[in-house]
Amino acid sequence: DVKVTQSSRYLVKRTGEKVFLECVQDMDHENMFWYRQDPGLGLRLIYFSYDVKMKEKGDIPEGYSVSREKKERFSLILESASTNQTSMYLCASSLSGFEAVGTEAFFGQGTRLTVV
Amino acid sequence: GQQVMQIPQYQHVQEGEDFTTYCNSSTTLSNIQWYKQRPGGHPVFLIQLVKSGEVKKQKRLTFQFGEAKKNSSLHITATQTTDVGTYFCAGPTSGTYKYIFGTGTRLKVLA
C-alpha cells in the first residue's frame, strides 16, 4: 500500500513563526501536492511538484513556499505564519501521466495547524 | 483560474434514499476522479473516468463523465450510514500536472 506520512497531526504556532510541514511518500511517486482544506472551500492547491527540485504554484501560493530536495519528501513552509493560515493541510502524491489509469492521488492523514 | 464546483454543498438523506452530487469544471479535464473523505479522515480515491461519456459502477455507486469532459456526477442508490462523508471530484487540467479538486458535497445519512 502507498503510504504518505505527514510529520504532525496537530500543530499550534504563534503568529510570525516560520513553520515547516513535512511530507514523505514511500512509493517513488513523481508528483507531490500540498492542499489546504477549509469548510465550504474544498481542497485548494497551494503548490505541487512533478520532479525533484521542480515546483509550480497552485491556486493559493501566497504566504507559502515549498522544497523538494529528494523525490520522497515535499516540505511546505510558512515563512511568517498568520492567523488566516489556520487550516487543515493535506499532502498527496501520485504517479505521473495525465490520463493513464493509476494516477490517482494518495493523501496523508493531514496536519491541523492553528496559528495563534 | 480553473474552478471546479460541486452541488449541492450539503445533503441530508434518510437511509435508503438515493443521493446525487454534480461536478462542473470551468475547463476541460483530461480525466475525472472521485474521492471520499470520512469525517476526521483524509480523501480516499474511489474511481477514475477517462473517456467522454463514460459510465462506471461500483456496487451502489454510479459515476458518469460528461460528453464535453467538463462535468461529472456520482449517484448513490439506497444510501447507507456507511456512505456518510464528503465526496470530492478532481482532475488534472488538460496538459498539466495540476489536480484541481471540487468544493465537495457533504452527505449525512439519517438512520
Side-chain angles (χ1 to χ4, degrees), chain A residues 68-110:
Chain A
R68 193 165 181 202
E69 296 296 319
K70 294 184 178 181
K71 191 175 185 180
E72 68 270 19
R73 187 178 297 270
F74 193 34
S75 303
L76 180 69
I77 303 152
L78 286 67
E79 297 292 341
S80 178
S82 64
T83 54
N84 62 15
Q85 292 178 309
T86 292
S87 186
M88 170 68 83
Y89 289 87
L90 288 160
C91 174
S93 72
S94 75
L95 286 170
S96 188
F98 304 127
E99 297 185 15
V101 174
T103 57
E104 68 267 26
F106 293 85
F107 283 84
Q109 78 277 23

Side-chain angles (χ1 to χ4, degrees), chain A residues 30-65:
Chain A
E30 294 88 358
N31 298 337
M32 295 190 76
F33 309 83
W34 276 105
Y35 294 91
R36 63 177 283 177
Q37 183 174 19
D38 300 288
L41 298 177
L43 278 70
R44 292 181 292 167
L45 182 63
I46 305 172
Y47 267 97
F48 68 103
S49 168
Y50 53 90
D51 201 351
V52 176
K53 297 190 186 294
M54 306 303 288
K55 59 186 179 185
E56 286 201 23
K57 294 179 180 179
D59 295 323
I60 51 165
E62 297 77 19
Y64 304 94
S65 62

Side-chain angles (χ1 to χ4, degrees), chain A residues 8-23:
Chain A
S8 304
R9 184 86 164 127
Y10 299 95
L11 212 51
V12 180
K13 295 292 181 181
R14 295 194 180 278
T15 302
E17 275 193 78
K18 190 169 186 175
V19 181
F20 293 85
L21 302 183
E22 306 285 347
C23 176

Side-chain angles (χ1 to χ4, degrees), chain B residues 85-103:
Chain B
T86 302
Y87 292 86
F88 293 99
C89 62
T93 309
S94 290
T96 79
Y97 296 98
K98 289 176 65 173
Y99 275 86
I100 302 298
F101 276 72
T103 46

Side-chain angles (χ1 to χ4, degrees), chain B residues 7-8 10-22 57 59-62 73-81 83-84 87 105-110:
Chain B
I7 55 170
Y10 300 98
Q11 184 84 58
H12 293 185
V13 299
Q14 286 291 135
E15 190 173 22
E17 290 182 341
D18 292 356
F19 159 77
T20 304
T21 173
Y22 299 92
K57 291 192 175 185
K59 297 183 180 178
R60 294 177 295 105
L61 279 60
T62 301
S73 65
L74 158 60
H75 179 81
I76 302 178
T77 304
T79 55
Q80 300 175 358
T81 54
D83 295 326
V84 164
Y87 292 86
T105 295
R106 186 174 173 185
L107 173 65
K108 286 195 174 182
V109 180
L110 307 173

